Amino acid sequence: MPLDNAINIADLAARARRRLPRVVWDYLDGGAEDEATLRDNRAAFERWRLTPSVLTGNKQRDQSVELFGSRFLGPFMIGPTGLNGLFWPDADLELARAAADAGVGFALSTASNNALEQVAAIGAGTRWFQLYPWGDVSFASRLLERARNAGYQAVIVTVDTLTAGKRERDLRNNFSHELRLTPRVVLDGLLHPGWLANVWLNKGMPRFENLAEFLTPGATAAELADFTRSKRNPAFCWDDIARLKERWNGPLLVKGILSGADALRAREHGADGVIVSNHGGRQLDGAPASIDALPEVVQATDGRMVVLMDGGIRRGSDIVKAVALGADAVLLGRATLYGVAAAGRAGVERALAILRDEVDRTMALTGVRTLAELRARDILFPHPASRKISARSELAAC
Ligand SMILES: Cc1cc2nc3c(=O)[nH]c(=O)nc-3n(C[C@H](O)[C@H](O)[C@H](O)COP(=O)(O)O)c2cc1C
């Protein structure tokens, strides 16, 4: 089926779902426990409506944004995700190339399947490195040194996974960082021959390549997965953020912030930016939707640090809403993963083009020309149904 038939992100998701075995799809798509936060990440966008503005005479819009000295052609970038090699061979490279071609940034996960140096070698593009604060200080220092040498411009420290979320789809599928070839998984693979030939028979189980140097040469994917599990460090704390900032000595963002108080703590400990995120609903189920947590963080930080957000972005209008609520830009998680899982680099290119087009249309229909104008104008209002609920609760309180 030609990719032009995918006219929105949901179409790419449907194609990805058909192509992937169930266990891989569940890893990509699932969330923690009852998946309430996962669902709310989407539902919360629906609770905001946009005010149209007509006959403005605007012929063109500019959706570009500058972040830490790099200009992105849209207020979005590809966020860090691990084990991308399960979706497509060399998926980290394909995602990074598509981002560079689209003129937006790419963040590489510590848990990538292409080594950070290999991704840097693609050349053009703005790349950030996402660090999991695993193990001791020497582990983080070594990865930061490699990221600096390879030309990564910023580092994201993800702080919401020091304790693993309870991802029940993965538990049911007996999946944790690696595919175990149970009869069910083998049958699942055979029923998805495209994926089987293109990923499994072609490359086998992808390894955490960034970590290979910490183990003996030739470590298997299973040994590297064991290594990541053994290195979780629940003792990591705010002072460690200050230490990392000192070592990195460049732009550092803390990812996994959902309150104004934590954003201010990040700032006190040297962070230049925060990413308002609940890890795509994969960690604390019951945490607020990211878009609901965003205004408090924007208010607390008051323009003194970069504020990004992620979680539930599937439409250009979601991106416009996030910027209208004060985000400098957003990160894409599943939106571009659906693309890469559906059709490799072409699928990612499609996802980025769809979102860019939808951002432009939404700006045109709401009558704004630039992101600065979008932030200054009050184009959002709560969905009438949610206003009724709050009016009723105010009455009840009287
Ligand atoms: C399959 C998958 C793997 C992920 N791996 C990582 C990771 O390695 N590091 C990280 O900081 N966040 C990781 N995340 C979280 C994303 O960076 C992001 O916060 C989340 O996907 C945003 O929600 P969305 O998918 O609804 O857009 C992962 C998310 C998914 C779906």
Side-chain angles (χ1 to χ4, degrees), residues 24 26-30 38 41-42 79-84 87 108-112 130-132 134 156-161 167 255 275-282 290 309-314 331-338:
V24 179
D26 278 345
Y27 164 67
L28 191 172
D29 202 53
L38 175 68
N41 271 349
R42 289 291 311 128
T81 52
L83 267 184
N84 295 336
F87 311 133
L108 183 76
S109 166
T110 301
S112 63
Q130 176 264 325
L131 181 74
Y132 273 128
W134 286 329
I156 297 173
V157 186
T158 298
V159 294
D160 55 9
T161 50
R167 301 180 192 164
K255 175 171 181 279
I275 303 174
V276 178
S277 173
N278 50 39
H279 215 95
R282 294 159 81 82
S290 305
M309 70 80 66
D310 71 21
I313 304 275
R314 305 289 182 271
L331 275 68
L332 306 171
R334 294 180 185 82
T336 32
L337 288 184
Y338 294 143

Side-chain angles (χ1 to χ4, degrees), residues 1-23:
M1 206 204 301
L3 213 47
D4 293 351
N5 291 354
I7 59 166
N8 58 28
I9 300 297
D11 289 345
L12 290 170
R15 287 174 71 130
R17 185 175 194 160
R18 281 196 297 275
R19 185 179 157 270
L20 296 177
R22 174 72 184 267
V23 52

Side-chain angles (χ1 to χ4, degrees), residues 60-82:
Q60 276 183 336
R61 278 76 45 197
D62 175 8
Q63 58 171 286
S64 69
V65 64
E66 193 177 306
L67 289 176
F68 302 116
S70 299
R71 185 145 287 278
F72 295 171
L73 294 184
F76 51 89
M77 64 182 286
I78 298 184
T81 52

Side-chain angles (χ1 to χ4, degrees), residues 343-366:
R345 191 185 337 168
V348 187
E349 283 167 356
R350 186 86 191 133
L352 294 173
I354 287 169
L355 292 173
R356 194 174 145 66
D357 168 68
E358 289 180 354
V359 168
D360 186 63
R361 277 171 205 272
T362 308
M363 288 175 74
L365 292 167
T366 53

